[in-house]
Amino acid sequence: EPQPGQERMRITRVLIVEDERLMGELLGEVIQDEPDLTVVGIARSVADVADYRGRPPEVVLMDFRLPDGTGAEAARIIKSRWSMPSRR
């Protein structure tokens, strides 16, 4: 809870889409070290993205080559499920 006169820090939700397990975990650790970022999930394939039922991400770190398709296919799934808000 912020003190009087302080604003609450906005936490940005990040979804990682990376088929290399170690790389996904390392990215997750780096992101979790940032106080204004939180990892909402790590998907390792297009199918994992389709099955993801967690909180809607605001940012997606996307690998392009996935074992069962491309990052573009995964991005279409994400876009169809959640309208990604514009952050100006």
Side-chain angles (χ1 to χ4, degrees):
E1 196 67 29
Q3 298 296 318
Q6 291 181 329
E7 290 186 33
R8 174 172 277 183
M9 182 182 304
R10 186 179 181 321
I11 306 297
T12 301
R13 298 182 306 271
V14 180
L15 174 64
I16 298 169
V17 183
E18 170 59 61
D19 63 323
E20 297 289 335
R21 180 174 303 213
L22 181 59
M23 180 62 77
E25 290 174 1
L26 289 173
L27 283 169
E29 288 177 20
V30 169
I31 290 168
Q32 286 298 117
D33 283 344
E34 295 299 319
D36 58 344
L37 299 175
T38 188
V39 175
V40 294
I42 299 176
R44 297 187 60 218
S45 65
V46 174
D48 285 351
V49 169
D51 291 341
Y52 174 75
R53 299 289 180 249
R55 295 186 64 206
E58 296 171 291
V59 173
V60 179
L61 295 180
M62 180 79 69
D63 187 359
F64 186 76
R65 290 188 184 108
L66 298 168
D68 59 348
T70 67
E73 292 168 303
R76 281 192 285 278
I77 292 168
I78 292 167
K79 186 176 178 186
S80 71
R81 184 169 300 149
W82 301 290
S83 145
M84 301 299 273
S86 173
R87 295 185 65 184
R88 293 184 181 190

